[in-house]
Amino acid sequence: MDKGKELRAALAVMGAVAGTGYASGRELVLFFAQLGRASWVGIGFAAVVFALLTTLLCRWAGTSGATGFAGACRQLLGPRTGGVAGAMHALLMALTAAMMLRGAGEIGALTLPVRNGFLWGAGIALALALLVNLARLRPLPWVGGAALATGVLFYAALAADPRPVRVYLPGDTQLALEGSLPAAALLALLYGALNAGMAASIALRFSRGGARPGRLGLLCGGALAMVLLCANAAIARGGRQLLAQALPTVVLAARWRLAGFWLSAAFTYLCAASTLAAALGGLAEQLRR
């Protein structure tokens, strides 16, 4: 048993979901913050779903001898249905990679003092992701660990800042699902399943050869819960009007003026590059097999 291998696998999994799970704040509003107090229950349930699905997938792959997500699908569902599931997962990886490239390009357009900043931002992220893949994804746990640690510290600092959050657009925000426990359970189930699917290839790849599925799932669920709790507390600090904003974390970080802008941009870019590397790695493995 290699406890270090389990930790590396968990960090790689967190790197795979950083860009889609907690980078911009919009996904947190959609799945959790709009539920008000019920969001805390939803976060706990989502972490359990994420941990359970990761555990079951790695355990099944280990028992069946499958070496990748496509192989695990064929072993579990049969050649035809498993092939369809593998193709859908490859499509998910391709769409995620495109989303991450677009997000990195938008950050480049906002921050880089060059012409065609969008293309430069997307190109640099793609180059970093390809370098990680050329190294057979070995740097991914380090990148994922950096994204996780930065996310926890960033959101915890935003939540701890007592200064008021200024939202300059007038209007009231009504929360139709506020306090709804059934909605919290449904959204948490969807969030946990989507992110488990996103990280499936990475979880299988890094769990080979000694990582215990139960411990790996526990580490993944605990890490996800930690960053989501900090992020939800930070968004709650901004009040209801913050929930209607396109980039809640940028509005929250505006209290730190120019430093807040750069911190927010760097954190989002790191998460996008990390998830892009994981998506390209999962897609390449699917195509090879």
Side-chain angles (χ1 to χ4, degrees):
M1 178 182 61
D2 185 357
K3 293 183 179 179
K5 188 175 184 63
E6 292 159 358
L7 179 59
R8 288 193 297 273
L11 292 177
V13 167
M14 294 308 298
V17 301
T20 56
Y22 52 85
S24 71
R26 280 309 306 165
E27 60 281 328
L28 300 164
V29 170
L30 174 62
F31 288 100
F32 303 112
Q34 65 163 320
L35 300 165
R37 292 183 179 179
S39 62
W40 304 104
V41 178
I43 287 173
F45 187 46
V48 170
V49 170
F50 183 65
L52 185 60
L53 290 177
T54 304
T55 300
L56 291 176
L57 179 63
C58 292
R59 182 166 293 171
W60 171 257
T63 342
S64 64
T67 55
F69 183 78
C73 287
R74 290 189 178 92
Q75 291 278 357
L76 180 63
L77 304 172
R80 184 170 299 177
T81 311
V84 172
M88 291 178 64
H89 186 261
L91 178 61
L92 174 64
M93 295 295 100
L95 291 174
T96 301
M99 288 171 54
M100 295 302 104
L101 277 175
R102 178 183 175 183
E106 289 174 346
I107 296 171
L110 288 172
T111 58
L112 296 177
V114 294
R115 295 182 62 182
N116 301 316
F118 181 94
L119 296 178
W120 275 98
I124 292 171
L126 180 59
L128 292 174
L130 290 175
L131 286 174
V132 171
N133 277 274
L134 286 174
R136 298 184 180 180
L137 293 178
R138 284 190 295 266
L140 186 59
W142 295 97
V143 180
L148 175 64
T150 306
V152 170
L153 293 174
F154 181 57
Y155 283 122
L158 289 175
D161 192 338
R163 290 175 293 179
V165 178
R166 296 179 180 178
V167 179
Y168 294 97
L169 296 178
D172 295 326
T173 302
Q174 295 183 352
L175 305 179
L177 299 177
E178 185 175 14
S180 172
L181 290 178
L186 181 61
L187 288 172
L189 179 62
L190 181 60
Y191 179 89
L194 284 173
N195 283 282
M198 265 297 310
S201 294
I202 299 301
L204 291 179
R205 180 165 185 158
F206 279 86
S207 64
R208 297 172 194 160
R212 291 187 301 178
R215 183 177 175 83
L216 173 59
L218 187 62
L219 287 172
C220 291
L224 185 65
M226 181 170 56
V227 69
L228 289 181
L229 288 171
C230 294
N232 199 48
I235 291 175
R237 173 75 71 179
R240 291 191 173 203
Q241 277 188 287
L242 180 69
L243 304 184
Q245 307 309 305
L247 293 172
T249 51
V250 175
V251 179
L252 286 168
R255 292 173 292 175
W256 302 340
R257 300 183 181 275
L258 188 59
F261 168 77
W262 284 107
L263 283 172
S264 181
F267 168 62
T268 309
Y269 195 86
L270 171 64
C271 291
S274 176
T275 299
L276 176 60
L280 291 178
L283 184 60
E285 185 171 2
Q286 292 260 84
L287 293 175
R288 280 199 305 268
R289 298 183 184 279

